[in-house]
Amino acid sequence: MRGTNTYASLTSVLEHYKASDWSADFALVTGDLIQDDTPEAYVHFCNRLSTLGIPVYCLPGNHDVRALMREALDEPPFHYCASFESDNWLVVSVDSCLSGDAGGRVSDEELDRIDAEIAASPAEHIMVCLHHPPVPMNSAWLDTVGLQNGAEFLAHIGASGKVRLAVFGHVHQVYDAPHNGIQIIGTPSTCRQFKQGSVEFAVDDNPPAYRQISLYTDGRFDHELVWVNQ
Ligand SMILES: [Fe+2]
């Protein structure tokens, strides 16, 4: 992708994590796992991620092919757009994709599913995960392919009073800001990054990255962005 071998850069991110002194209970991949619409690309992804030895929760992005992705991730350690509970937290995965559109929207049916999962869970704290940013990135071209109903979505999930953070992918750059009591967090990609604040599409020279997120029983959370210099 634009001069970067994405298989190699993903591998470097995974190896960086494995060599670190921080270990995760699960991995979360917020979409755009592939770009060439082939089942083989998901096989490559699974072969790489299975080396982590932990559950891998994946949700779709605009470059994914839902049917292929669901089929490729149909058994542990992989989970397709699945929610789960851990230590007083509910982690909710959301499908924000629109077929044939780089931008996204959370459908009424998806909002109903989120409501039902929150209502059924005894967890006191919630992390919501989706592909598209629910807030503007202040980048003209990126904001034409954001989440169409971001404000509505945030108001909807905020009504529970339990959502502490919402994390997303898609934008290939850092974002970290509060919004009505919910911390909104975007993480750069495992390949090339997009230039922040750019009016037109542009990449920058930042390296691949991932984010370490720690969720505590009392609702506190920490997170740290890790740049991976190859
Ligand atoms: Fe995307």
Side-chain angles (χ1 to χ4, degrees):
M1 180 192 182
R2 304 181 190 281
T4 293
N5 180 317
T6 57
Y7 187 84
S9 65
L10 171 61
T11 300
S12 71
V13 168
L14 297 174
E15 293 305 314
H16 188 284
Y17 159 74
K18 290 176 191 173
S20 75
D21 58 5
W22 189 86
S23 67
D25 296 318
F26 59 86
L28 172 66
V29 186
T30 50
D32 289 352
L33 280 54
I34 71 164
Q35 185 161 287
D36 64 1
D37 295 0
T38 67
E40 290 80 9
Y42 286 114
V43 172
H44 288 313
F45 172 85
C46 290
N47 286 342
R48 289 287 82 201
L49 272 291
S50 62
T51 65
L52 292 177
I54 53 177
V56 181
Y57 289 85
C58 305
L59 53 85
N62 51 295
H63 289 292
D64 288 302
V65 181
R66 283 189 182 99
L68 294 179
M69 183 174 171
R70 187 181 289 112
E71 187 177 337
L73 306 177
D74 71 341
E75 60 183 45
F78 299 99
H79 302 269
Y80 174 82
C81 209
S83 302
F84 63 98
E85 292 169 342
S86 179
D87 195 19
N88 206 22
W89 281 81
L90 172 67
V91 179
V92 177
S93 293
V94 178
D95 183 342
S96 62
C97 295
L98 288 170
S99 295
D101 194 329
R105 181 177 187 82
V106 181
S107 67
D108 289 344
E109 293 75 20
E110 196 70 343
L111 290 174
D112 288 344
R113 181 180 67 84
I114 296 166
D115 289 346
E117 289 180 353
I118 291 176
S121 174
E124 294 181 284
H125 312 291
I126 299 169
M127 177 168 81
V128 172
C129 318
L130 73 169
H131 183 65
H132 295 85
V135 292
M137 291 292 103
N138 298 316
S139 172
W141 78 272
L142 256 182
D143 288 335
T144 66
V145 291
L147 191 67
Q148 294 175 1
N149 58 341
E152 176 194 345
F153 171 70
L154 287 176
H156 193 96
I157 63 173
S160 71
K162 296 180 178 179
V163 177
R164 310 291 174 234
L165 65 165
V167 301
F168 61 91
H170 191 53
V171 302
H172 295 235
Q173 60 194 258
V174 177
Y175 187 86
D176 181 15
H179 180 94
N180 292 339
I182 301 173
Q183 197 68 21
I184 312 291
I185 299 169
T187 300
S189 122
T190 58
C191 58
R192 292 302 298 270
Q193 314 306 350
F194 299 159
K195 187 176 180 184
Q196 287 192 296
S198 184
V199 174
E200 298 179 342
F201 175 85
V203 294
D204 67 21
D205 294 326
N206 282 322
Y210 70 101
R211 191 181 292 277
Q212 301 172 346
I213 301 176
S214 300
L215 307 175
Y216 302 105
T217 309
D218 62 2
R220 289 178 302 116
F221 57 88
D222 290 331
H223 60 97
E224 181 176 344
L225 185 72
V226 181
W227 295 108
V228 176
N229 289 296
Q230 293 172 278

